[in-house]
C-alpha cells in the first residue's frame, strides 16, 4: 500500500501531522471549546426556513461578494464599520489562511507567542510561510515590552495575536496590541475568536482600527454564537486589506447555504448570545472549584480554563474519558484544559476531577501516617 512518504509532497510538509483534536462520542464533551448550549428552537426554525429558501436557487452560484452577510456582520460589530471593511470565510481558520496567502508565503515569516493556537503553525506551513514563535511572560501573560522585543528581534511580515489566547485563555491588553501595531512593519492580526466571553467592559481591538491600515481583527461565529458546525469566520480591516484577500480566495467560497444560515443567526444575535453570561459563570465556577481542589487555574477571558497541578495529564485525561468526560491534553507539562459547558456538564467534570485533586492526594498520603500514630497497639513494642 502506498504511504504518505511515497508521494511527491512538498519537502517542507514531510514529517508533519494534521490538526487533530480527539473526536469521540461521550456524554460530556468539553475538549474543543464549543458552545455546548443548543441553538434556541425559534432561531433554529428561522435558520431552517432561510436555508430552505436558498435551496430553491442552488442551481445558481451564490453572491460571490456575500454582500448581505457582510452588511449584517458590520451591523453586529458596530464601531462605525461598513461593508467594505468586512471579510468572511469558512471559519476563522480560512480567514487566517487567506491572510497568510496574501501577506505571507515563501520567503516571508509569521510570528506568534507560544503557547498559542496550534493551527497558526499549520496554516503557516500550508502557505509556505516561516513560522516563528517567541515566549511569553510568567503565567502566559504577554506584556508590551516582551511582544515588542520579539518583533524587533525577528522582524516578521505578519504577527498573530490571540486575544484571549488559546489554549491558555489569557486576556491581551490594548496596550500590548497597540505597542505591537506600532512596532511591526507588516500585518498584525488580532484573533478575537473568544472575545464575547471576555469580562463585561473588556475593550475590543476593533477600537484600534482607525488609522491603522495594517491592523486586522479576526472573529468567528463558532464559539459564542454556538455555530461551530456552520463554519463562519470573518474579519474587520481596512478596505485595501479586503481587496487583497479577494486575490487569493476561491470563487464563490461561501455557499448560499452558509450565507443563509449565518444571516439567520445574526438576525437573532441577542438571543444567540443570551447564554454567554451563563458560560462565563461556569468558567468562574470551574476556576474557583479547581483552585479549592488544589489545582492551578490560569486567568481566562475565554469559555475554557487551563489548569496546572496535574501529576500525569495523560492518565487523568484517560481516566476522565473512561467516565464519559472528554477534555483536552494540550502538551503543556502538568496542565489540562476544559471547556465551560452547561451547569450539568460542569458539575460532572468537577465531580470527576476531584478524584485526582492535589488536595485529595495530600489527604491520602497523610492518612496512613495518621493511622499509625493513633494505633500503637497494632505494632510490636
Amino acid at each position: 500500500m502506498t504511504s504518505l512518504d511515497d508521494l511527491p509532497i512538498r519537502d517542507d510538509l514531510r514529517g508533519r501531522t494534521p490538526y487533530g483534536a480527539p473526536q469521540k462520542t461521550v456524554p460530556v464533551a468539553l475538549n474543543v471549546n464549543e458552545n455546548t448550549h443548543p441553538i434556541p428552537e425559534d432561531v433554529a426554525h428561522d435558520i431552517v426556513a432561510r436555508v430552505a429558501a436558498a435551496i430553491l436557487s442552488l442551481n445558481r452560484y451564490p453572491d460571490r461578494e456575500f454582500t448581505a452577510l457582510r452588511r449584517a456582520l458590520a451591523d453586529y460589530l458596530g464601531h462605525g464599520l461598513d461593508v467594505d471593511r468586512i471579510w468572511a470565510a469558512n471559519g476563522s481558520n480560512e480567514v487566517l489562511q487567506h491572510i497568510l496567502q496574501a501577506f505571507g508565503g515563501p520567503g516571508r515569516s509569521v510570528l506568534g507567542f507560544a503557547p498559542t493556537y496550534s493551527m497558526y503553525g499549520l496554516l503557516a506551513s500550508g502557505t509556505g510561510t516561516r513560522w516563528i514563535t517567541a515566549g511569553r511572560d510568567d503565567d502566559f501573560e504577554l506584556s508590551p515590552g516582551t511582544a515588542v522585543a520579539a518583533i524587533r528581534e525577528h522582524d516578521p511580515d505578519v504577527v498573530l495575536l490571540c486575544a484571549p489566547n488559546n489554549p491558555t485563555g489569557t486576556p491581551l491588553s490594548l496596550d500590548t496590541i497597540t505597542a505591537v501595531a506600532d512596532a511591526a512593519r507588516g500585518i498584525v492580526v488580532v484573533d478575537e475568536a473568544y472575545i464575547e466571553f471576555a469580562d463585561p467592559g473588556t475593550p475590543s481591538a476593533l477600537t484600534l482600527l482607525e488609522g491603522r491600515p495594517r491592523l486586522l481583527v479576526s472573529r468567528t461565529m463558532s464559539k459564542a454564537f454556538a455555530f461551530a458546525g456552520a463554519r463562519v469566520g470573518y474579519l474587520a480591516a481596512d478596505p485595501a486589506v479586503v481587496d487583497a484577500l479577494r486575490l487569493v480566495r476561491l470563487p464563490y467560497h461561501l455557499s448560499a447555504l452558509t450565507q443563509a444560515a449565518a444571516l439567520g443567526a445574526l438576525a437573532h444575535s441577542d438571543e444567540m448570545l443570551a447564554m454567554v453570561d451563563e458560560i462565563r459563570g461556569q468558567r468562574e465556577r470551574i476556576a474557583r472549584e479547581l483552585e479549592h481542589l488544589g489545582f492551578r487555574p490560569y486567568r481566562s477571558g475565554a469559555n475554557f480554563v487551563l489548569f496546572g497541578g496535574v501529576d500525569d495529564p495523560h492518565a487523568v485525561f484517560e481516566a476522565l474519558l473512561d467516565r464519559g468526560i472528554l477534555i483536552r491534553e494540550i502538551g503543556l507539562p502538568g496542565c489540562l484544559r476544559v471547556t465551560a459547558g452547561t451547569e450539568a456538564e460542569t458539575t460532572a467534570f468537577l465531580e470527576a476531577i476531584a478524584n485526582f485533586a492535589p488536595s485529595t492526594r495530600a489527604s491520602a498520603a497523610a492518612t496512613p501516617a495518621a493511622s499509625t500514630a493513633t494505633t500503637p497497639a497494632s505494632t510490636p513494642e
Side-chain angles (χ1 to χ4, degrees):
M1 179 181 292
T2 300
S3 71
L4 183 60
D5 290 337
D6 297 323
L7 297 176
I9 63 170
R10 289 170 14 205
D11 290 341
D12 61 319
L13 294 181
R14 290 194 180 279
R16 295 185 178 271
T17 55
Y19 176 85
Q23 294 192 95
K24 299 179 182 294
T25 301
V26 294
V28 181
L30 301 173
N31 66 321
V32 288
N33 304 336
E34 297 157 319
N35 183 336
T36 65
H37 295 68
I39 293 175
E41 187 173 352
D42 62 319
V43 179
H45 285 310
D46 186 29
I47 293 173
V48 168
R50 291 169 183 261
V51 171
I55 287 175
L56 297 175
S57 60
L58 285 185
N59 60 311
R60 302 291 187 181
Y61 286 115
D63 175 10
R64 187 178 61 246
E65 296 302 318
F66 44 97
T67 307
L69 177 56
R70 288 162 63 208
R71 183 177 296 111
L73 288 168
D75 290 343
Y76 168 69
L77 290 177
H79 295 279
L81 294 168
D82 205 348
V83 173
D84 63 350
R85 303 190 68 176
I86 303 296
W87 187 248
N90 295 285
S92 59
N93 287 331
E94 189 177 51
V95 171
L96 296 171
Q97 183 180 58
H98 286 167
I99 293 168
L100 292 182
Q101 285 175 318
F103 300 105
R108 296 192 175 192
S109 62
V110 54
L111 171 69
F113 295 88
T116 194
Y117 184 31
S118 60
M119 272 302 301
Y120 293 162
L122 293 174
L123 290 168
S125 66
T127 58
T129 311
R130 184 164 59 98
W131 172 235
I132 302 169
T133 57
R136 292 174 170 267
D137 301 308
D138 291 343
D139 297 333
F140 308 116
E141 301 286 339
L142 184 60
S143 66
T146 297
V148 170
I151 289 168
R152 288 175 177 163
E153 177 183 356
H154 298 289
D155 188 30
D157 297 279
V158 181
V159 180
L160 291 174
L161 299 172
C162 198
N165 186 51
N166 179 16
T168 64
T170 318
L172 187 65
S173 71
L174 287 192
D175 287 344
T176 297
I177 296 171
T178 300
V180 169
D182 290 345
R185 62 172 174 80
I187 296 295
V188 175
V189 184
V190 183
D191 181 356
E192 291 190 337
Y194 298 94
I195 193 66
E196 285 95 345
F197 299 108
D199 292 336
T202 300
S204 164
L206 293 169
T207 60
L208 304 176
L209 285 177
E210 198 61 39
R212 293 184 172 91
R214 298 189 178 191
L215 179 64
L216 290 58
V217 180
S218 172
R219 294 275 190 102
T220 183
M221 295 183 71
S222 293
K223 307 303 182 181
F225 270 87
F227 226 50
R231 311 306 301 129
V232 182
Y234 57 102
L235 67 70
D238 190 87
V241 169
V242 174
D243 286 340
L245 302 185
R246 284 191 177 92
L247 299 175
V248 297
R249 61 96 179 265
L250 294 175
Y252 311 104
H253 70 288
L254 277 179
S255 77
L257 303 184
T258 298
Q259 294 182 44
L263 283 167
L266 288 164
H268 300 272
S269 59
D270 289 344
E271 195 170 351
M272 292 288 280
L273 298 176
M275 71 282 285
V276 166
D277 283 342
E278 181 182 342
I279 293 169
R280 274 198 214 101
Q282 296 305 317
R283 177 192 72 201
E284 296 308 310
R285 178 188 173 201
I286 290 170
R288 184 172 60 250
E289 292 300 320
L290 286 175
E291 185 172 21
H292 177 72
L293 290 168
F295 291 106
R296 168 66 164 94
Y298 289 91
R299 189 166 76 105
S300 176
N303 68 332
F304 58 84
V305 177
L306 174 74
F307 60 100
V310 186
D311 279 349
D312 187 338
H314 182 67
V316 173
F317 169 85
E318 291 291 346
L320 292 177
L321 186 58
D322 289 341
R323 291 166 167 80
I325 300 169
L326 179 61
I327 63 172
R328 189 69 177 269
E329 288 185 272
I330 56 171
L332 290 176
C335 292
L336 290 167
R337 191 192 71 192
V338 60
T339 305
T342 64
E343 182 178 3
E345 289 169 332
T346 298
T347 297
F349 163 72
L350 290 172
E351 289 177 350
I353 196 67
N355 293 288
F356 311 96
S359 59
T360 302
R361 296 196 302 270
S363 297
T367 300
S371 175
T372 302
T374 56
T375 55
S378 64
T379 57
E381 295 184 358

